[in-house]
Amino acid sequence: MRWLLLALLVIPASEIGVFIWIGGMTGPWWIVFLIVLTGVIGVTLAKKQGIDTWRRAQLQMSKGIPPTEEIMDGICIFIGAVFLFSPGFITDTVGFILVIPYTRTPMKNMIRKLMNKMMGNGTIIYRK
């Protein structure tokens, strides 16, 4: 809970600092343009990736195979789309990392390791 509160304070302050820094170099209208551009490109890319993942999951389920990788992809794409929808260059970078398939794979592995660690510590209780 502390980490969430800290993130809710640090991330917006960092975004404002980046806006001021880049805006000082390029001008305010370029910042507005870049925010809108990254938002539109990001949401479009997230929608395409989400649809592709949904189709792969349906194909897996029709074969009788649980779509475990597709579920992890869907979670990453959803979180990435939320980051891309919020204005800011730091959140957009994280969002693109989570939405683009080539960079999403290492993030999925990190999330998987974190979940396994939390299950081992008893933070997450997993029962069959």
Side-chain angles (χ1 to χ4, degrees):
M1 186 65 177
R2 292 181 200 169
W3 291 105
L4 181 62
L5 183 60
L6 184 64
L8 290 174
L9 294 172
V10 171
I11 292 173
S14 301
E15 293 286 6
I16 291 169
V18 171
F19 285 152
I20 292 170
W21 177 56
I22 295 177
M25 291 188 292
T26 61
W29 292 110
W30 281 105
I31 296 299
V32 172
F33 173 72
L34 287 173
I35 290 170
V36 171
L37 180 68
T38 58
V40 169
I41 291 172
V43 170
T44 304
L45 182 62
K47 181 180 176 184
K48 181 188 178 315
Q49 289 298 312
I51 291 170
D52 290 346
T53 301
W54 178 256
R55 287 187 182 140
R56 283 195 326 266
Q58 286 180 326
L59 182 64
Q60 293 286 90
M61 287 186 290
S62 71
K63 293 179 181 179
I65 303 169
T68 54
E69 281 300 310
E70 287 74 18
I71 290 172
M72 286 294 291
D73 281 335
I75 292 168
C76 289
I77 292 167
F78 176 73
I79 294 169
V82 169
F83 278 136
L84 286 166
F85 194 68
S86 65
F89 296 120
I90 298 169
T91 54
D92 284 348
T93 303
V94 173
F96 278 119
I97 288 171
L98 288 170
V99 169
I100 297 172
Y102 303 110
T103 56
R104 183 172 55 231
T105 303
M107 293 299 289
K108 283 192 317 189
N109 294 333
M110 286 176 35
I111 292 169
R112 193 173 288 119
K113 285 179 186 177
L114 178 66
M115 288 175 65
N116 286 334
K117 181 181 173 185
M118 292 174 80
M119 285 190 291
N121 293 339
T123 307
I124 296 176
I125 299 172
Y126 174 73
R127 294 184 185 148
K128 287 185 179 182

